[in-house]
Amino acid sequence: MPADPAPASESDLFDPYLWLEEIHADDALAWAADRTAETERIYASAERTALEERLRAVLDAPDRLVVAARHGDWMYDLWRDATNPRGLWRRSPRAAFRAGRPEWQVLLDVDALGTEEGVAWAFGGALHGPAGTDRALLQLSPDGGDAHVTREFDLAAVGFVDDTPFGIPVDKARAAWLDRDTLLVAATVDGGAATDSGYPATARVWRRGTPLADAPVVVSATQGDVGVFVGVDRTDGITTAVVDVWRDFFHTDVHVWDAASPAAPRIVAVPQDAHVDVHGELVAVRTTTPWTVGGRTHEGGTLLVGPLRALVEGDGDADVTGGDALVPVFVPSAHAVLESWTWTKRRLVLTILEDVQSRLVALDPADGWAATELPAGIDGGDLLSVGVATRDADEDDELWLVARGFLTPATLVVTDAVASGPVVVDRAREVFDASGLTATQHWATSADGTRIPYFEVGPRERDGVLPVLMSGYGGFEHALTPEYPSLVGPAWLERGNVFVVANIRGGGEFGPAWHLAALRENRHRAYEDFAAVARDLVTRGVTTADRIGCHGRSNGGLLVGNMLTQFPEDFGAIVCGVPLLDMRRYTRLSAGASWIAEYGDPDDPEDWAFVQTFSPYHLVEGGKAYPPSLIYAATSDDRVGPVQARKMAARLQDETDAEVHYLEPAEGGHAGAIDNAATAALHATIYAFLDDVLVQRPGGASST
C-alpha cells in the first residue's frame, strides 16, 4: 500500500482537493467510485459491450503470438486467457519452441495460487538463478502495483522452496543471484532503508539461512537519492556484482566488484550521466553529454567499449588512467542514433534508429568491431521496427527478434549474430482489416523551427476530413517506434479513422540530445511539438481541430494534460491515463521524488518558476473552454498514484463548465488494468468516449 502523502506546505493549504490525496480514505474512495460508476453508466451501450468483447477476444486469442524468454535450454512464458486471467507461468524445451511445436510444462497457476492463499496475485516476473541451480525468484504483486513479494521457486521440483528459502515480503525490492546460496538484495524491509522516492537505499549480501536483517550492507544511498538497484554479470565465468546508486533519474554511481574475491566495491569512473553495461572483462559506456577521456572528446550518444579494469583502477576522476583503451564502436549522426544494445556470447548487437525506424547491427570484438547487418526476416512496404526479444549470452550467439509495423503483425524470428540468417518461428495473426490503410511518416515544424517527425496511419483513399487519435510521450529518453496497433486497429482504424504517433522532443527518437532539448525549463518544447503536429494535420487537410483526440499515459498523461489546459483550441477530446498533473505536489506523491531531474523541484523557488508553467492542475481557469476529457487511474498505482488524476477531475468538474469523465479501478497498478478483461473494458470505454466526441458530435457538445 502506498504511503500517505507528505504534509502540505503553507501554499498547499489553499488547495481544496488535498483530501483526495488520502488514497484509501473512505470519502476519497467513495468520490472515485461514484464518478467511475457515472462514467460507466454514460458509456454503457450495446456497441461498447461488443467492442469490449472483441478486444477481449484479441487479448485472449488461443493462437496469438508467444514471445518467450530464453534461459538455457528452456523458453519461459506467462500465458493469460479467459480461463487463466492472472496467468499460467510455463516453459517449453527450446528446441521444440524453435521448431514451432512447443511442449508446455505449467510451473505455476497464478489464479489457483491466489485462490489457495486468498490473495489475487499478479505475476511480476522471474529472476533465474545461475545455470545449473534450477532456482528462480518470483515476484508476485497483491494488486498489480510495483510493490511485490519475492519467493524462491524450485524449477526441478515445480514448487516453492520449503527448506530455508529466500523470501521478501511486499516491497519494491530488487535481487540478483551471486550464487545458489547468496543474493545481492536491495530492499526497504528487514533492516533496509528507503529513499524519499520509496525505493531501497541499501544493497546487502544475503546468505541463505540467515535473517535478511543481518545481511551486511555493501553500498548505501542517501535518502535524497532515487534508490539502489542491483545486478550480476557472469560472462566468461567471471561473477561481477553491480550496484547502481541513482543520484537522480539520469545520474548514477556504478559500483562493481568480483563477487568471488573479498574486494570492496569500486565506482566505475565514468560521467554520472553515462549508461554503463558490464560484460565480463569489458565495459560498454554510452555517453549522454560530451565526455573527454584518454585525450579524446566523445559526443553524447556515443557507445564506447574497453577493459573494465581501465575504469575502476583510476582515481575516480572522469579523465581516468587507461581511458585511451576505450574504443568508440558507435557514433551518432543527424539521422542515426543508438536505441539500445545487447551482448551475445561473441558479438555486441546494436539497435539503431534511423529517422525513428530501427535496424540491427552485430559487432565483432575479435575483428576490430567489424559490423554486420542483421536482417529482420520480414519484407518492407510498411514502417517497421525490430528489437531483440530474448537471448542467453552465457550460452551462444542465438538471438530472438520481434519485427513488426503499423500494418504488419509481429513476427518472431530466430537468428544467429555470427553465422546464420533469420528463420521465422511464428507470426501473429491480423486482428483488424488493414487492406485499405497506409502508414506514412511526416514532419511538422515546432514553434522554435525544429522539424518534428510523426507517423500517420489511416485510409489510403480519403474523402474529406477524418477523426484523428494522436499518441505521444516525450520524456525520459523513451522513443516511440512503429508498433502493430492490436487494440487501436479494431477499435479505431478499422472504422475509417486516423491514428498518429508524434515523436516529440523529450523522447529518445534522436538520441540523448532529443531528450535534453525538452528537460526541465525547456519542457515547453515537448508540448509545442505535440501541438505543432496537431496543427500540421489540419494544415494538410487530414482533419479539423474539433476532430482531433489525444491519449497519453503517465508522462504522456502530463503531455495531454497540457494539451487540455494550454492548447484546448487544437483538440476535440483528451484521454489522460495514470497521469502526473499536479506538478506542485508531485514530488510528495508516490514515487514522484525520483523524477526531479526530468521536471525540476517545485520546492525550489527558481525551479517552481518554470515548473508551474506546465502544471495542468494549476493552469485550469474558470470560464475557459476546454474539450471533453476522460481521465483514468488505478487505486493501486504506487508509482504515480491516483490522486493527481482525482484532483484534476474534481477541479475541472467543480470550477469549470468542462465535460470530464473519470475512471478508477482498484487493481492494475501503473498499467491501469490488471488482466486482459480489465484492459479490454478500459479501452472499450476509451473508444466509446472518443467515438462519441470526435465522430458522433464534433465540437464537444455534452453527452450528459
Side-chain angles (χ1 to χ4, degrees), residues 115-279:
T115 299
E116 176 185 343
E117 298 185 348
V119 179
W121 294 113
F123 191 83
L127 177 68
H128 290 260
T133 62
D134 280 329
R135 295 294 175 89
L137 297 176
L138 304 191
Q139 297 178 349
L140 298 165
S141 168
D143 54 18
D146 290 347
H148 55 267
V149 301
T150 302
R151 294 184 183 176
E152 187 177 5
F153 194 88
D154 188 323
L155 296 166
V158 190
F160 290 107
V161 175
D162 293 325
D163 184 17
T164 59
F166 287 119
I168 304 173
V170 175
D171 188 56
K172 292 185 179 181
R174 296 292 185 272
W177 293 90
L178 291 171
D179 57 47
R180 185 183 185 279
D181 297 311
T182 314
L183 296 180
L184 187 58
V185 174
T188 70
V189 296
D190 292 341
T195 65
D196 291 338
S197 299
Y199 294 104
T202 58
R204 294 175 277 172
V205 175
W206 184 19
R207 304 196 185 280
R208 188 183 300 279
T210 65
L212 176 57
D214 293 342
V217 173
V218 288
V219 177
S220 297
T222 69
Q223 190 171 346
D225 293 331
V226 170
V228 169
F229 302 87
V230 299
V232 172
D233 177 76
R234 289 192 184 80
T235 303
D236 296 331
I238 305 169
T239 301
T240 304
V242 182
V243 177
D244 294 342
V245 178
W246 290 21
R247 301 304 182 187
D248 60 36
F249 210 86
F250 308 112
H251 294 82
T252 303
D253 285 334
V254 181
H255 301 73
V256 299
W257 69 97
D258 185 343
S261 75
R266 298 290 301 273
I267 292 180
V268 181
V270 298
Q272 285 186 330
D273 64 0
H275 296 260
V276 175
D277 177 28
V278 174
H279 183 70

Side-chain angles (χ1 to χ4, degrees), residues 504-505 523-532 555 558-560 562-563 566-567 599 613-614:
I504 62 178
R505 282 174 288 183
R523 198 81 200 166
H524 61 279
R525 292 175 177 165
Y527 309 137
E528 291 168 352
D529 292 356
F530 199 77
N555 173 74
L558 176 61
L559 165 68
V560 300
N562 276 284
M563 296 306 103
Q566 295 197 56
F567 301 93
Y599 303 119
T613 67
F614 58 85

